[in-house]
Amino acid sequence: MSTRREFLIVSTVLTGAALFSSRAQAALPPLAVKASYKVGFAQSESNSPWRLAETRSMRDEAAKRGHRLVFSDAASSSAKQASDVNAMIAQGVDAIFLTPREDKALVPAIFSARDAGIPVFLLDRDVSHGMARPGRDYVTFIGSDFVEEGRRVAEWLIANANGKKKIIEIEGTVGSSPANDRRKGFDDAIRAAGGFTIVASQSGDFSRDKGRQVTETLIQAHPDADVLYTHSDEMAMGALAALEAAGRKPGKDVLVVSIDGSRTAVQAIADGKIGAICGCSPFFGPKAFDALADYAAGKPVPPFIKNEDQFYVASNARTLLASTF
Ligand code: GYE
């Protein structure tokens, strides 16, 4: 009796879950199986080796598989990126790969594509899950775990700071998922460790020039800062220039840590100017087109497809240089 009752409860719950998940799945537009697709790739900007490597990876993989890639570059404007997506919808692409510059501003464009019957795959940045969800509004998010990246940089710093403890943090684009999460991962670990202070934190918009300008201002306001954490290597390269212009020696007076793993920044580790970098892979092509093929074939596509990241330090920088971008 009780066994039967349990069976009934369990089967009711399971049926409910199955109904819910099939309804959630049904909200995503299907994708027909085709030998060749016309796929949109709405890139956010082309201002760094990281972005160029990502675009190259997508173009190469599309060509290799015989798909046509409709490319747009939003030139660092979320408004332009949204209108680029709308232009792709109007052109009738089969699917859209989108790298949402900000985590809220691009949500309406995702809804427009979904409502037009075009599945969207997010690459490299996610959107706010309070507004839109993978598996319901877009197929999946393919990218790194940014909280983990920030935490890995913090862990290295905690073990290698050698008494340095006043941190300036140069953040990425305001309202972007990597900036939010790289700050969270790093700040939480640093606070939990104790003994460090984040004396200033400001956005450098993932750009080399802004990274240089912000560092210039913050190092003047906080001349006793002895650690610099940047959310991207382009900003780290700008920061190195600003430190040197201010007569500070990166790698000696100021310990610099960063994220990405670009060739110039990994070279700066080899040169003793940057302490450590958590890599962030820009090579999305194979995973993106595999996800597209799986989705068309009706195979389950997980809501998060994680890229694994390298970690660069003085002992491996030279060896790994050849695999950087
Ligand atoms: O780290 C940065 C780029 O969204 C993960 O954006 C990406 C980040 C990357 O501009 O260099």
Side-chain angles (χ1 to χ4, degrees), residues 84-285:
D84 289 344
V85 170
N86 287 318
M88 288 170 181
I89 298 170
Q91 271 192 59
V93 295
D94 294 306
I96 295 175
F97 291 118
L98 168 67
T99 71
R101 180 174 151 79
E102 292 171 68
D103 74 345
K104 294 189 177 66
L106 272 302
V107 170
I110 294 175
F111 290 160
S112 303
R114 181 204 59 193
D115 295 347
I118 301 171
V120 174
F121 297 73
L122 297 189
L123 297 188
D124 97 59
R125 294 187 187 175
D126 205 351
V127 291
S128 160
H129 286 190
M131 295 173 76
R133 291 205 162 256
R136 187 187 70 191
D137 304 307
Y138 54 98
V139 178
T140 181
F141 164 57
I142 308 174
S144 293
D145 180 336
F146 305 124
V147 173
E148 187 180 288
E149 290 177 343
R151 189 177 58 237
R152 289 175 77 186
V153 170
E155 280 164 0
W156 183 89
L157 181 64
I158 292 159
N160 295 277
N162 267 328
K164 291 191 168 37
K165 50 180 182 288
K166 295 204 169 149
I167 306 169
I168 289 176
E169 179 166 355
I170 314 286
E171 297 177 33
T173 298
V174 176
S176 71
S177 68
N180 296 341
D181 291 355
R182 286 171 183 172
R183 184 180 60 200
K184 183 175 174 19
F186 180 88
D187 291 13
D188 287 355
I190 285 295
R191 274 197 207 102
F196 292 90
T197 332
I198 299 172
V199 295
S201 190
Q202 203 176 307
S203 172
D205 203 17
F206 283 126
S207 117
R208 186 184 285 223
D209 205 44
K210 286 189 193 136
R212 186 184 53 73
Q213 289 169 30
V214 171
T215 307
E216 205 174 276
T217 312
L218 293 182
I219 203 77
Q220 259 171 39
H222 304 276
D224 55 345
D226 48 16
V227 179
L228 206 112
Y229 165 46
T230 57
H231 289 189
S232 83
D233 283 350
E234 278 301 282
M235 298 193 295
M237 296 315 292
L240 292 185
L243 288 175
E244 285 172 342
R248 311 293 298 276
K249 287 199 176 59
K252 295 198 173 65
D253 322 328
V254 182
L255 193 52
V256 180
V257 287
S258 179
I259 295 179
D260 272 345
S262 71
R263 186 148 306 166
T264 41
V266 174
Q267 181 62 53
I269 296 183
D271 298 341
K273 295 185 177 184
I274 295 183
I277 295 173
C278 184
C280 179
S281 172
F283 304 116
F284 287 87

Side-chain angles (χ1 to χ4, degrees), residues 1-13:
M1 168 75 179
S2 88
T3 319
R4 181 171 157 72
R5 201 180 125 80
E6 271 161 29
F7 169 77
L8 278 176
I9 291 169
V10 169
S11 60
T12 311
V13 170

